[in-house]
């Protein structure tokens, strides 16, 4: 596609439920990043993929968070047993290569609300 | 944790004035980028400056980088109401990991 696509755009879930967030990067972009942004805050790095492997998972807040990428394309971020503090906008970005001098293209994000 | 800190946290100016915001970071970088975010959703890449560059221009934007002080500044000249947004700096290390500062909220009033 022309841009980075994230789905759903909004998700309301009950505390304790599992959620899956999807990111479809720009075709051909090998690097994919997940960030979390709480209301009025900066972006918190979660994880990034180079191809299907994740060299850096250091930002995942707890073992309830996991992410995978298949076929070097679509990525899913899974949050198990959601908590209210998980409420945030989850942003995905992709780039042709890591350290891409043309910058990174961001999706519009998934706004997750845990009630 | 955030890689960098932005200063000021918020900036209010009138149309036509210049807006300057600063970013400091902690570790060695490959390059530094500035992004704009409207309404808390999508980020738009504005400009990238490499670690061996000191200044870069793009339209009404001017970015400087001082690697000895681990700091960068973004200047928006002749600001417009449409420039109202949050501005973030982000650094890339040799592994390509992109880390953001906390952002500066800019409000431009007509």
């Amino acid at each position: 596609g022309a841009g980075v696509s994230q789905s759903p755009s909004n998700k309301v879930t009950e505390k304790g439920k599992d959620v899956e967030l999807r990111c479809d990067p720009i075709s051909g972009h090998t690097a994919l990043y997940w960030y979390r942004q709480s209301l009025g805050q900066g972006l918190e790095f979660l994880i990034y993929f180079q191809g299907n492997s994740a060299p850096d998972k250091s930002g995942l807040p707890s073992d309830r968070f996991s992410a995978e990428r298949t076929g070097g394309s679509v990525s899913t971020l899974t949050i198990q047993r959601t908590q209210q503090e998980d409420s945030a906008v989850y942003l995905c970005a992709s780039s042709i290569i890591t350290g891409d001098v043309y910058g990174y293209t961001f999706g519009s994000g998934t706004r997750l609300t845990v009630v | 944790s955030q890689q960098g800190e932005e200063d000021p946290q918020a900036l209010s100016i009138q149309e036509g004035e210049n807006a300057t915001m600063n970013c400091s970071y902690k570790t060695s970088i490959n390059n530094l980028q500035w992004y704009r975010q409207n309404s808390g959703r999508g980020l738009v890449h504005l400009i990238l400056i490499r670690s061996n560059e000191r200044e870069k221009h793009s339209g009404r934007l001017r970015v400087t980088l001082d690697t000895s002080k681990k700091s960068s500044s973004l200047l928006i000249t002749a600001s417009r109401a449409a420039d109202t947004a949050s501005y973030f700096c982000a650094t890339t290390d040799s592994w390509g990991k992109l880390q953001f500062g906390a952002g500066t909220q800019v409000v431009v009033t007509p």
Side-chain angles (χ1 to χ4, degrees), chain B residues 4-76:
Chain B
E5 297 181 2
E6 271 134 306
D7 165 52
Q9 290 186 335
L11 182 60
S12 185
I13 56 174
Q14 292 193 321
E15 266 191 330
E17 293 182 336
N18 295 340
T20 300
M21 60 210 86
N22 304 294
C23 165
S24 61
Y25 57 91
K26 299 172 185 173
T27 61
S28 297
I29 62 170
N30 197 35
N31 61 56
L32 185 143
Q33 307 176 35
W34 285 89
Y35 287 80
R36 183 182 70 213
Q37 186 180 41
N38 293 86
S39 305
R41 293 302 284 262
L43 281 90
V44 175
H45 176 255
L46 296 176
I47 193 167
L48 179 149
I49 186 165
R50 301 185 198 200
S51 60
N52 62 353
E53 296 177 313
R54 292 296 167 258
E55 187 172 315
K56 202 161 184 179
H57 297 253
S58 177
R60 293 185 295 113
L61 304 179
R62 174 177 163 247
V63 169
T64 64
L65 178 64
D66 187 336
T67 52
S68 66
K69 295 181 180 177
K70 290 186 167 58
S71 68
S72 173
S73 68
L74 172 67
L75 168 68
I76 306 172

Side-chain angles (χ1 to χ4, degrees), chain A residues 9-10 33 35 37 41-45 48 56 58 89 91 98-104 106-111, chain B residues 1-2 30-31 33 35 37 39-43 45 48 50 88 92-103:
Chain A
S9 56
N10 287 284
Y33 302 77
Y35 292 87
Q37 187 177 30
Q41 302 296 310
L43 278 79
E44 177 188 1
F45 169 81
Y48 95 91
D56 191 338
S58 64
V89 175
L91 290 158
T98 55
D100 189 348
V101 296
Y102 298 104
Y104 298 71
F106 279 82
S108 297
T110 293
R111 186 181 299 280
Chain B
S1 63
Q2 299 291 333
N30 197 35
N31 61 56
Q33 307 176 35
Y35 287 80
Q37 186 180 41
S39 305
R41 293 302 284 262
L43 281 90
H45 176 255
L48 179 149
R50 301 185 198 200
F88 294 89
T92 306
D93 62 17
S94 58
W95 293 100
K97 181 176 174 179
L98 189 64
Q99 294 196 97
F100 285 81

Side-chain angles (χ1 to χ4, degrees), chain A residues 7 10 17 24 28 30 38-39 46 52 56-57 62 65 69 71 77 91 94 99 101 108:
Chain A
S7 61
N10 287 284
K17 300 281 189 184
D24 200 342
T30 60
S38 301
L39 187 62
L46 297 178
N52 290 335
D56 191 338
K57 305 178 183 179
S62 74
F65 287 73
R69 189 180 186 195
L77 176 69
L91 290 158
S94 72
V101 296
S108 297

Side-chain angles (χ1 to χ4, degrees), chain A residues 11 13 36-39 65 79 82-90 110-115:
Chain A
K11 175 73 176 178
T13 190
R36 178 170 73 173
Q37 187 177 30
S38 301
L39 187 62
F65 287 73
I79 309 173
T82 52
Q83 304 294 314
Q84 287 186 328
E85 60 263 28
D86 299 335
S87 296
V89 175
Y90 289 80
T110 293
R111 186 181 299 280
L112 175 66
T113 304
V114 182
V115 297

